[in-house]
């Protein structure tokens, strides 16, 4: 089973990590908004996330950003697929930049990766995409570390169960997937009158399930909050995924733990994850 300690060490210092990697500057956060304790979890009002007209961005959660940046760097991630744009978007782009600076010579010559050191982020709301574009450093956009996509969000079914799908989705093979979208009020259409557009509903994205069998062993999925959606995914995944939930972090983790598909997948696992991956099989 995937051990959370493999993702984040006990000695992890959020405040030091945040400042060492200039995360406030990276996400264009005002210095006065930097928390005294970066590990503190923000708890919004009950109606904050279920207002369809909300134009106020979610407050920056530096604990999440520190973890995401650390995980992407520690796992030497090469390709990221992100559902929902936000402060995490430039953080992923920066982690890929650092990974490229350290490992490009090896990965370019030895791995089969068509979107090497690219983060592709999907959202159905052009307003939030435009807002996100304003905070992403130009070098990350100009060098394709960050690629933003506006897609429709359709209410549909997965095996007869109501869910949503983005259309289109970038045709890439990520080794890290971050699920932090869509908004439950964004979907168009319904199934026999059912949709996610109700304050007592919750997001129910099924995109990952549709392309699960294209993912390679070693892939990591992180679901931010969205516990109902994470349970839906867990119930319907068909391959050998290890799953764990951190209530303190309000995040869910899935790692595809299978024997390598072949020589190129094995090279990638050996380079990115090392012997610890095989110990988890």
């Amino acid at each position: 089973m995937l051990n959370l300690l493999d993702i984040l060490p006990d000695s992890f210092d959020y405040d030091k990590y945040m400042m060492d990697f200039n995360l406030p500057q990276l996400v264009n956060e005002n210095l006065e908004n930097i928390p005294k304790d970066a590990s503190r979890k923000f708890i919004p009002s009950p109606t904050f996330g279920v207002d369809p007209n909300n134009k106020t961005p979610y407050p920056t959660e530096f604990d999440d950003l520190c973890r995401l940046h650390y995980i992407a760097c520690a796992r030497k991630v090469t390709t990221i697929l992100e559902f929902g744009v936000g402060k995490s978007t430039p953080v992923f782009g920066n982690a890929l930049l650092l990974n490229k600076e350290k490992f490009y010579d090896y990965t370019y010559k030895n791995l089969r990766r068509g979107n090497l050191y690219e983060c592709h982020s999907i959202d159905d709301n052009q307003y939030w995409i435009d807002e996100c574009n304003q905070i992403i450093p130009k070098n990350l956009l100009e060098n394709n570390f960050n690629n933003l996509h506006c897609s429709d969000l359709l209410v549909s079914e997965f095996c007869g169960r109501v869910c949503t799908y983005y259309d289109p989705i970038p045709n890439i093979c990520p080794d890290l997937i971050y699920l932090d979208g869509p908004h439950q009020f964004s979907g168009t259409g319904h199934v026999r009158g059912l949709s996610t557009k109700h304050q007592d509903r919750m997001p129910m994205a099924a995109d990952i399930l549709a392309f699960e069998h294209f993912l390679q062993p070693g892939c990591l999925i992180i679901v931010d909050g969205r516990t109902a959606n994470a349970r839906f995914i867990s119930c319907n995944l068909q391959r050998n995924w290890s799953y764990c939930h951190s209530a303190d972090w309000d995040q869910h983790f899935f790692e595809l733990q299978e024997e390598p598909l072949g020589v190129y997948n094995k090279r990638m696992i050996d380079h990115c994850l090392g012997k610890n991956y095989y110990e988890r099989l």
Side-chain angles (χ1 to χ4, degrees), residues 27 29-30 33-35 38 40-45 48-49 54-65 86-88 128 135 178 180 224:
V27 299
E29 185 63 82
N30 293 326
N33 293 333
I34 298 175
R40 185 182 59 191
K41 177 63 67 178
F42 170 77
I43 302 177
S45 68
F48 185 88
N54 177 48
K55 294 295 183 182
T56 303
Y58 206 84
T60 304
E61 294 190 286
F62 281 102
D63 62 322
D64 286 351
L65 298 184
K87 298 291 180 67
S88 56
W128 291 119
I135 67 170
Y178 183 55
D180 193 24
D224 190 70

Side-chain angles (χ1 to χ4, degrees), residues 140-155:
L140 298 181
L141 291 170
E142 293 172 353
N143 294 286
N144 294 323
F145 292 106
N146 283 118
N147 304 267
L148 276 61
H149 307 265
C150 188
S151 299
D152 294 329
L153 185 72
L154 310 177
V155 176

Side-chain angles (χ1 to χ4, degrees), residues 24-254:
Q25 181 180 1
L26 182 63
V27 299
N28 197 32
E29 185 63 82
N30 293 326
L31 294 178
E32 59 266 23
N33 293 333
I34 298 175
K36 294 181 179 179
D37 179 5
S39 66
R40 185 182 59 191
K41 177 63 67 178
F42 170 77
I43 302 177
S45 68
T47 59
F48 185 88
V50 294
D51 180 1
N53 300 311
N54 177 48
K55 294 295 183 182
T56 303
Y58 206 84
T60 304
E61 294 190 286
F62 281 102
D63 62 322
D64 286 351
L65 298 184
C66 288
R67 279 193 300 273
L68 295 174
H69 192 274
Y70 175 86
I71 290 169
C73 290
R75 293 175 68 92
K76 304 177 185 177
V77 166
T78 68
T79 309
I80 298 173
L81 178 60
E82 179 185 35
F83 293 99
V85 302
K87 298 291 180 67
S88 56
T89 305
V91 166
F92 281 136
N94 177 260
L96 290 175
L97 181 151
L98 297 178
N99 288 350
K100 182 176 182 179
E101 290 177 347
K102 294 178 180 178
F103 308 117
Y104 179 77
D105 284 346
Y106 176 83
T107 54
Y108 178 75
K109 294 176 182 178
N110 294 281
L111 303 186
R112 181 184 288 170
R113 303 297 293 164
N115 300 92
L116 194 56
Y117 302 115
E118 295 179 8
C119 174
H120 290 261
S121 305
I122 313 169
D123 207 291
D124 60 276
N125 192 318
Q126 188 63 51
Y127 173 84
W128 291 119
I129 289 176
D130 293 340
E131 289 290 301
C132 189
N133 263 317
Q134 295 300 312
I135 67 170
I136 298 176
K138 289 185 178 180
N139 69 311
L140 298 181
L141 291 170
E142 293 172 353
N143 294 286
N144 294 323
F145 292 106
N146 283 118
N147 304 267
L148 276 61
H149 307 265
C150 188
S151 299
D152 294 329
L153 185 72
L154 310 177
V155 176
S156 185
E157 294 179 84
F158 180 85
C159 297
R161 294 163 175 82
V162 178
C163 62
T164 60
Y165 294 102
Y166 281 108
D167 184 16
I169 291 179
N171 193 26
I172 64 173
C173 185
D175 48 322
L176 174 62
I177 300 172
Y178 183 55
L179 181 61
D180 193 24
H183 196 283
Q184 69 192 70
F185 285 93
S186 296
T188 59
H190 60 83
V191 177
R192 301 183 304 279
L194 297 173
S195 76
T196 60
K197 289 185 175 182
H198 189 284
Q199 69 173 17
D200 297 336
R201 296 275 193 241
M202 58 279 293
M204 204 60 63
D207 306 274
I208 295 170
L209 300 174
F211 57 77
E212 175 194 358
H213 288 279
F214 289 105
L215 298 173
Q216 297 182 7
C219 178
L220 180 71
I221 301 170
I222 305 174
V223 182
D224 190 70
R226 301 170 181 266
T227 296
N229 200 165
R231 291 176 180 174
F232 173 65
I233 291 171
S234 180
C235 286
N236 288 284
L237 289 169
Q238 296 182 342
R239 298 171 68 185
N240 188 31
W241 294 85
S242 174
Y243 166 68
C244 58
H245 171 219
S246 171
D248 290 339
W249 299 349
D250 194 23
Q251 289 181 327
H252 305 258
F253 299 87
F254 301 80

